[in-house]
Amino acid sequence: MVESFEYVPTVCPYCGCGCGMYLVVKDGRIVGTEPWKDHPVNEGKNCPKGRNAYAFLYNEGRLKTPLIKKNGDFKEASWEKALELVAERLKAADGDSAGFINSGKIFNEDLYVFQKFVRVVMKTNMMDNCSRFCHSTTVPALVSTVGSGVMPTSLLSIERADCIMAAGSNTQETHPLIFHKFIRAKQRGAKVIVIDPRRTVTARNIADIFLQINPGSDVALINGMMKTIIEEGLEDKEFIEKRTRGFRELKNYLSSLQMSEVERITGIPADMIREAARTYANAETSFICFNAGITQHSTGVENIKALADLALLTGNYGKPGAGVSPFRGHGNGEGFGDMGPLPVFYPGFKPVNEETAKLFEELWGVKGLPSKPGMPYMDILEKCSVLYIVGGNPMVSAPDTNRVRKILESKEFLVVQDIFLTETAELADVILPAATWVEKGGTMTGIDRKVQRINKAVEPPGEAKPDWQILCDLAKVMGYGEYFNFNSTEEIFEEIRKCVPQYHGITYERLKKAGGIQWPCPSEDHPGTETMFVEKFATEDGFGHFQVVEYKPPLEVPDEDYPYVFMNGRTLFHFHTGTMTRRTSRLHNEQPDGFVEINAEDAEKLGIRSGDRVVLRSRRGEVKAFAKVTKNIQQGVVFMPFHFSECAANFLTGPTAGPPSRMPEFKYTAIKVEKVV
Ligand code: SF4
């Protein structure tokens, strides 16, 4: 008998590359993946995470029924009972005392229903998501310079760049299939500049110029590059004249800057900074990407403003392969802003105010929508007595883990909706089991504004349900069912199209084609928009606005007691808090444990060898892990991946920037290091 397999086209759930793949389904179970050769991003290749992206579905730890905690133990419960309990506690929470956290792991349809639930049923904007910890610095920085915080070109057009500058982005590990575009560009003759405190695989494998920068000194470096460009007359005078404002102020400020001071702050020889500046400015088309190495600083907003200044100065906006692009970590990294599950934006990035609340009252046919902004992530955790967390795991992802545990343990009522019993779910009063990825279907919007469709391939385990379905059911129990009469993700998407102008022309039918559609897409015959800001920027007056940004030191600098700088980041084999990848045996086998990278000379001083167990201590906590002694990291700097809860990097982190970003200082913490004896 011939075995029959079904090949379901879909998109990888992990990083922002948005690679296509076929899932091989036999008898209702996924048994493998096959390359999707026609998919324009990955052309038939997937990284190890993508190739194994189905395995965690079958991990025995999947949540299959609602759970209610009684006397410290979870007991299985019916959906009816669990939702009644949640509804009762939410109804009792008055004003803004209930807070809601969502995640970039869930789809546009889930996120849209999430924010609608919070606004229509709870009448509050007290909601935020994990982008607070990744790219909350991106939006205010790019809105003030070019009017919008999105990638202005396409992933495909990166191949057309003549110079690529990767700032704080270890692209080969965090976005492996975008890294292939870098390789293609380099094969065409493009020059690659990598800025990072670590000599990462990206720096080692592709950089023509590697700027090994002192952590937290990015603003000084970019200012030094811009000073060189202006002094050598390499700026794009016509572009500056026709399309920008504020050049004179920037020029005046940079003229007072001393390159010797830039060299001292950054640790990079001035000649090397000048060489990088010439390489970037002389290329016909230059592309800048940045990631958490730039964003996750108390000065993240300033870092990104400086990068946007550099692109404006050299006319690198409004053409394919140019601009300044946030490389977001989650597959739905752009969508979870677009859908508005945020304290300050309704869907379509409409600012929270009375006018917007009225607009959505008309669109949704409801009264009393909230017009007062909510609070950012950490403030919600602290101030709300009732918390509802969908897909988030702050026990690993939020700064200062010891404090987060105390905060969560002090809540009157905590609901967690997830696919596994995460470190956060363990602290919950009620756990609601969710369907994942190809058990529900929907759409994701990746780094380059590309909306792609994820097809449902298999049924969820046990009684698990799609996130949107759980929220609709809860809304019905709470008496708001008429606003949540959705029977499919397509019905939700049809409402999204009405509320988010950028999505007007995108339909499920159109998304059947490989590669998706880039918004803005105003009508059904519009092909989508590959390049933004071609004639004008998204600012109110249409001009790009230079920002003068001065170097500011990090919030907590090393001293005698805590003499090392601690940074954390990602690796190729794991994703975010490891909830899915650490339950995937092939990925777990590749990298089962956390580790600490320490400079060879520092290690010698401390008597540490590779494989020794070391303890890292900050003012907030400590972690132990195995040492990896390397010359690829600077003296005085220590690195650790953040995926491993048993040695969670966030036991050490803590200080957080003020408004507008409220970004924790993830990439710069003063610590001490000792060998465990
Ligand atoms: Fe998935 Fe990213 Fe790997 Fe592509 S590069 S297969 S999207 S994890």
Side-chain angles (χ1 to χ4, degrees):
M1 199 174 98
V2 181
E3 285 196 301
S4 93
F5 296 95
E6 195 188 348
Y7 290 79
V8 181
T10 195
V11 177
C12 175
Y14 285 124
C15 83
C17 294
C19 299
M21 65 173 70
Y22 284 101
L23 292 173
V24 186
V25 181
K26 183 173 183 298
D27 300 331
R29 191 179 164 94
I30 302 170
V31 293
T33 59
E34 284 287 331
W36 186 349
K37 291 212 166 60
D38 292 343
H39 196 282
V41 172
N42 56 310
E43 300 166 293
K45 298 174 207 71
N46 291 120
C47 79
K49 282 200 288 286
R51 284 196 295 274
N52 295 287
Y54 66 94
F56 71 85
L57 268 66
Y58 302 113
N59 183 284
E60 59 184 26
R62 280 297 299 277
L63 296 168
K64 295 179 184 145
T65 57
L67 300 170
I68 297 177
K69 198 178 263 172
K70 279 195 189 124
N71 302 324
D73 290 326
F74 285 113
K75 304 272 183 238
E76 290 189 2
S78 66
W79 271 108
E80 201 184 0
K81 211 161 186 188
L83 291 183
E84 266 171 20
L85 176 59
V86 175
E88 184 191 311
R89 302 304 295 260
L90 289 181
K91 276 183 192 166
D94 54 348
D96 289 340
S97 63
F100 298 80
I101 300 290
N102 62 80
S103 155
K105 290 204 289 281
I106 60 176
F107 294 157
N108 288 330
E109 292 75 1
D110 301 308
L111 291 161
Y112 179 81
V113 171
F114 173 96
Q115 60 79 36
K116 188 173 177 184
F117 175 89
V118 177
R119 291 181 166 122
V120 171
V121 180
M122 299 302 296
K123 305 280 189 291
T124 179
N125 289 308
M126 291 292 270
M127 65 185 120
D128 204 359
N129 62 36
C130 54
S131 66
R132 177 69 50 195
F133 300 150
C134 306
H135 280 274
S136 59
T137 45
T138 299
V139 174
L142 292 179
V143 165
S144 63
T145 46
V146 296
S148 169
V150 299
M151 178 168 179
T153 182
S154 69
L155 294 180
L156 304 188
S157 66
I158 296 172
E159 290 180 21
R160 294 158 71 175
D162 304 299
C163 173
I164 293 171
M165 190 165 103
S169 169
N170 180 12
T171 317
Q172 187 171 350
E173 289 201 76
T174 58
H175 296 85
L177 268 298
I178 297 179
F179 186 72
H180 275 250
K181 307 292 176 203
F182 289 11
I183 294 172
R184 290 259 179 84
K186 183 144 172 149
Q187 285 166 343
R188 277 186 41 250
K191 296 284 181 225
V192 180
I193 303 166
V194 174
I195 303 169
D196 207 301
R198 297 163 63 219
R199 188 179 290 273
T200 58
V201 286
T202 306
R204 298 202 292 277
N205 288 343
I206 204 161
D208 295 287
I209 300 175
F210 172 48
L211 303 175
Q212 190 160 20
I213 190 170
N214 287 335
S217 63
D218 304 270
V219 164
L221 169 65
I222 305 303
N223 278 342
M225 287 177 70
M226 290 195 288
K227 178 182 175 72
T228 303
I229 289 167
I230 294 171
E231 280 180 355
E232 300 188 7
L234 302 177
E235 74 272 28
D236 186 333
K237 295 176 184 65
E238 192 183 340
F239 187 91
I240 293 168
E241 171 68 26
K242 286 193 179 148
R243 303 223 27 206
T244 71
R245 293 287 181 265
F247 174 65
R248 194 174 309 146
E249 291 80 357
L250 179 72
K251 188 177 174 184
N252 284 346
Y253 168 70
L254 294 174
S255 67
S256 64
L257 212 66
Q258 301 299 319
M259 285 305 279
S260 55
E261 186 62 2
V262 172
E263 184 172 309
R264 185 189 67 75
I265 296 169
T266 60
I268 303 167
D271 282 348
M272 224 174 154
I273 297 172
R274 290 192 187 99
E275 189 195 345
R278 288 179 203 119
T279 303
Y280 177 84
N282 284 328
E284 190 64 32
T285 299
S286 285
F287 173 80
I288 295 175
C289 64
F290 66 89
N291 200 349
I294 285 287
T295 62
Q296 287 185 325
H297 286 280
S298 58
T299 55
V301 173
E302 288 83 356
N303 294 347
I304 301 159
K305 282 180 178 175
L307 291 174
D309 278 350
L310 180 59
L312 290 172
L313 186 66
T314 49
N316 273 302
Y317 265 114
K319 53 186 176 180
V324 177
S325 294
F327 273 6
R328 297 170 190 273
H330 281 85
N332 199 22
E334 179 57 47
F336 71 170
D338 300 345
M339 296 302 115
L342 297 165
V344 292
F345 292 115
Y346 271 73
F349 283 101
K350 302 230 170 49
V352 166
N353 56 33
E354 286 194 7
E355 193 186 328
T356 301
K358 280 213 167 56
L359 173 71
F360 279 85
E361 283 176 3
E362 274 167 36
L363 285 166
W364 293 339
V366 68
K367 288 264 174 262
L369 291 181
S371 58
K372 185 179 90 175
M375 289 180 181
Y377 199 122
M378 289 307 292
D379 301 86
I380 288 177
L381 287 199
E382 261 179 54
K383 301 205 164 117
C384 294
S385 53
V386 173
L387 282 179
Y388 192 142
I389 300 176
V390 178
N393 191 8
M395 276 297 294
V396 183
S397 63
D400 196 351
T401 307
N402 288 325
R403 185 165 153 259
V404 171
R405 173 177 282 281
K406 274 192 204 140
I407 292 172
L408 292 180
E409 283 175 343
S410 74
K411 294 298 129 187
E412 283 174 22
F413 192 66
L414 173 62
V415 185
V416 173
Q417 187 167 307
D418 215 317
I419 59 173
F420 288 111
L421 185 65
T422 63
E423 294 75 9
T424 303
E426 283 173 14
L427 305 177
D429 296 289
V430 174
I431 299 176
L432 303 175
T436 183
W437 189 39
V438 284
E439 294 162 355
K440 58 181 178 181
T443 58
M444 291 199 291
T445 310
I447 290 174
D448 60 350
R449 297 166 280 113
K450 192 183 323 102
V451 184
Q452 296 197 88
R453 189 164 158 195
I454 292 85
N455 291 307
K456 181 175 173 180
V458 290
E459 292 301 322
E463 295 173 31
K465 292 183 186 183
D467 290 291
W468 65 267
Q469 180 78 63
I470 298 170
L471 290 159
C472 289
D473 290 350
L474 182 58
K476 282 171 197 149
V477 175
M478 294 182 74
Y480 288 84
E482 62 184 295
Y483 306 106
F484 294 87
N485 266 328
F486 300 116
N487 295 304
S488 67
T489 54
E490 186 167 9
E491 283 183 18
I492 303 167
F493 194 80
E494 284 300 306
E495 189 169 307
I496 292 171
R497 292 178 60 204
K498 289 189 192 119
C499 298
V500 181
Q502 298 91 327
Y503 285 61
H504 275 347
I506 305 174
T507 64
Y508 263 35
E509 186 58 30
R510 292 187 73 192
L511 291 178
K512 277 185 181 162
K513 200 171 142 253
I517 298 172
Q518 281 183 279
W519 68 251
C521 178
S523 61
E524 287 185 40
D525 56 1
H526 190 283
T529 306
E530 181 180 22
T531 310
M532 292 185 73
F533 316 141
V534 175
E535 283 171 3
K536 58 180 188 163
F537 288 100
T539 49
E540 264 180 34
D541 60 8
F543 290 102
H545 288 261
F546 286 107
Q547 309 284 316
V548 174
V549 281
E550 292 185 44
Y551 163 74
K552 280 192 288 192
L555 296 174
E556 185 185 76
V557 293
D559 56 19
E560 263 184 29
D561 295 332
Y562 297 93
Y564 291 88
V565 175
F566 173 75
M567 302 161 38
N568 67 74
R570 297 168 187 232
T571 70
L572 176 64
F573 295 104
H574 288 293
F575 183 71
H576 212 54
T577 64
T579 305
M580 298 179 287
T581 50
R582 294 197 75 200
R583 289 175 170 92
T584 300
S585 57
R586 284 188 192 151
L587 300 174
H588 173 74
N589 293 343
E590 288 285 353
Q591 200 166 63
D593 300 307
F595 57 86
V596 174
E597 280 187 5
I598 182 163
N599 170 272
E601 288 176 43
D602 290 336
E604 197 177 328
K605 259 193 283 171
L606 295 163
I608 293 168
R609 291 182 180 187
S610 281
D612 284 348
R613 206 133 164 85
V614 294
V615 55
L616 313 184
R617 291 193 181 90
S618 78
R619 289 180 174 84
R620 288 153 293 277
E622 65 173 55
V623 288
K624 291 184 184 132
F626 293 104
K628 257 192 192 175
V629 176
T630 173
K631 289 186 175 150
N632 291 325
I633 195 162
Q634 288 168 309
Q635 259 189 291
V637 182
V638 172
F639 169 85
M640 193 181 195
F642 85 108
H643 314 293
F644 302 89
S645 60
E646 63 278 15
C647 51
N650 283 321
F651 278 108
L652 305 173
T653 57
T656 294
S661 74
R662 300 288 279 125
M663 173 64 82
E665 188 89 275
F666 286 122
K667 293 287 191 274
Y668 201 110
T669 304
I671 61 158
K672 61 175 113 180
V673 185
E674 282 167 23
K675 182 175 167 177
V676 177
V677 283

